[in-house]
Amino acid sequence: MPKINRYIPSSKTLLAVIKKGKQADFKIWLDFFLTRLYFASTNTAIDIMSGNTAIAGARFFDLGRKIVAVGRNYREHAAELGNQVPEKPLLFIKPPSSYIREGTPIKIPKGCSSLHHEVELGVVIGQRGSDIPEDQAMNYVSGYVLALDMTARDFQSVAKAKGHPWTMAKGFDTSCPVSDFIPKDKILDPHNLELWLDVNGVSKQRGTTQDMIFTLPYLISYISEYFTLEANDVILTGTPAGVGPVVSGDVIKAGIRDIVEYSFRVEQK
Ligand SMILES: O=C([O-])CC(=O)C(=O)O
């Protein structure tokens, strides 16, 4: 059962309460603990303590344990970087420490001279699952998020040439700017969304999720054969064409048309 630890008062605190003979306080802790245990075990994230009854997923950027990203999921983007379209999804992992939210700048990592923007639809997972059948995959989605898969393209080119992993190119701090959580019912058809991205007011990326090579149910099913998906994990579904460099001082504005938009300033680390 994931996440239980964060909801349990420490045994030291409980002992201190008992020692002081504060039975009423102890009962409150016990109720709190049991209620938390119940919600954690059912994998929901309702924040009882603060009275916040937001739906599971709203704090994916604090609670999520992995970001599984899909490369080359749009034909035109694969072509613009001279890559073949993969026969199976090309996967890589970004760490949750790469998340930033609006208001925090994107930092160009040390030694990087070509930082690229890639706008993407992210899928937030709502419940734990592995070997998920394609026809049940959408039941595992709690919502969506607008994401940037910031990429140190020069690091990636070197890694590709040497057959090395893309970890440094894709997983550095600030490489995953995300929007607020978008509950599932706010997006009726995730395969018919317009993604856009401007740099300093100039249009750079315009694409539709209709052009994804591998659909969401296929991706969720495929990924879950190899990685157990857990509540608050995010799948980044790939970027459409138009990726390109940004430099310190640039402002990236991006959105999912009619749903959400945000902007991030770029700075040198
Ligand atoms: O860096 C790349 O081009 C691979 C990738 O993330 C994508 O295609 O979305």
Side-chain angles (χ1 to χ4, degrees), residues 22-263:
K22 288 188 175 176
Q23 284 177 2
D25 285 3
F26 177 64
K27 188 175 175 314
I28 291 166
W29 273 114
L30 194 63
D31 285 348
F32 168 53
F33 165 70
L34 290 174
T35 320
R36 281 290 174 147
L37 190 64
Y38 170 74
F39 279 102
S41 69
T42 54
N43 249 338
T44 63
I46 296 172
D47 193 350
I48 301 160
M49 197 52 181
S50 65
N52 169 14
T53 52
I55 301 301
R59 291 174 57 218
F60 71 92
F61 44 84
D62 286 329
L63 302 176
R65 301 211 297 181
K66 62 185 166 300
I67 305 164
V68 184
V70 181
R72 302 175 193 162
N73 200 23
Y74 290 77
R75 245 167 255 287
E76 285 182 18
H77 167 62
E80 74 181 340
L81 294 183
N83 294 311
Q84 300 287 324
V85 168
E87 280 173 21
K88 291 279 180 191
L90 169 64
L91 304 181
F92 56 93
I93 299 269
K94 287 167 87 88
S97 52
S98 65
Y99 281 134
I100 52 167
R101 314 244 306 124
E102 205 171 12
T104 301
I106 295 166
K107 299 269 191 178
I108 303 171
K110 194 175 158 193
C112 170
S113 56
S114 181
L115 179 65
H116 273 206
H117 54 75
E118 297 191 358
V119 64
E120 310 207 356
L121 173 69
V123 177
V124 183
I125 297 299
Q127 58 170 316
R128 187 182 171 89
S130 52
D131 299 319
I132 300 168
E134 221 176 306
D135 63 0
Q136 288 170 35
M138 293 309 286
N139 298 335
Y140 288 76
V141 173
S142 63
Y144 303 94
V145 63
L146 170 65
L148 299 181
D149 172 21
M150 296 306 296
T151 303
R153 195 68 74 199
D154 47 351
F155 294 2
Q156 189 191 35
S157 301
V158 172
K160 273 160 71 177
K162 292 185 175 170
H164 289 174
W166 294 357
T167 314
M168 292 279 287
K170 293 284 197 180
F172 57 89
D173 288 351
T174 78
S175 65
C176 195
V178 283
S179 69
D180 284 345
F181 174 72
I182 305 161
K184 191 179 183 180
D185 62 1
K186 296 274 184 279
I187 291 185
L188 297 180
D189 182 2
H191 299 100
N192 188 14
L193 297 172
E194 196 182 320
L195 298 173
W196 61 271
L197 182 144
D198 296 349
V199 179
N200 303 331
V202 179
S203 172
K204 297 290 181 184
Q205 288 191 271
R206 290 282 181 282
T208 164
T209 57
Q210 285 174 356
D211 292 342
M212 280 185 195
I213 296 167
F214 301 110
T215 62
L216 268 42
Y218 182 87
L219 287 174
I220 292 166
S221 176
Y222 180 82
I223 291 168
S224 75
E225 285 177 40
Y226 301 92
F227 304 91
T228 296
L229 290 170
E230 298 171 283
N232 297 300
D233 284 350
V234 165
I235 296 174
L236 297 186
T237 56
T239 194
V243 302
V246 285
V247 294
S248 185
D250 283 352
V251 175
I252 299 176
K253 195 166 179 194
I256 302 173
R257 184 160 310 284
D258 299 330
I259 309 275
V260 69
E261 63 178 53
Y262 61 27
S263 63

